Amino acid sequence: MEGRRFFDLRRWGDLTKNVGTFYGMNVNAKSSNREAYHKRTAMTWQYSIYTISNKLMFYPIIQTVMDKNVKLDQNPGW
């Protein structure tokens, strides 16, 4: 999932359908306990930084482009 695939799936709205549970570091571990931090931990979408929203379906339109054409509306969420 490194590289483009993750971001493509997120942008298309297919990330939660294709990935399900994913694993990462235990970020709730104390800094004094390195072993607990490096323990493989199941993550959920609700608590991850990769929360999916409709905003991520489209990139924002650059302001200079919108200034050139007043009929353009910014993409939802931006």
Side-chain angles (χ1 to χ4, degrees), residues 1 5-6 9-10 13-24 40-48 50-52:
M1 294 297 288
R5 179 79 173 143
F6 174 82
L9 288 173
R10 184 177 73 172
D14 292 338
L15 185 61
T16 54
K17 297 174 201 168
N18 293 323
V19 177
T21 303
F22 64 99
Y23 295 90
R40 187 174 184 224
T41 306
M43 305 295 212
T44 60
W45 291 110
Q46 292 83 9
Y47 302 109
S48 75
Y50 299 116
T51 301
I52 308 305

Side-chain angles (χ1 to χ4, degrees), residues 20-62:
T21 303
F22 64 99
Y23 295 90
M25 302 286 192
N26 181 5
V27 295
N28 294 323
K30 296 185 180 192
S31 60
S32 60
N33 190 352
R34 291 178 58 119
E35 289 182 22
Y37 174 78
H38 291 286
K39 181 180 179 186
R40 187 174 184 224
T41 306
M43 305 295 212
T44 60
W45 291 110
Q46 292 83 9
Y47 302 109
S48 75
I49 61 172
Y50 299 116
T51 301
I52 308 305
S53 68
N54 289 336
K55 175 183 176 180
L56 301 175
M57 296 295 286
F58 302 102
Y59 288 119
I61 300 173
I62 300 170

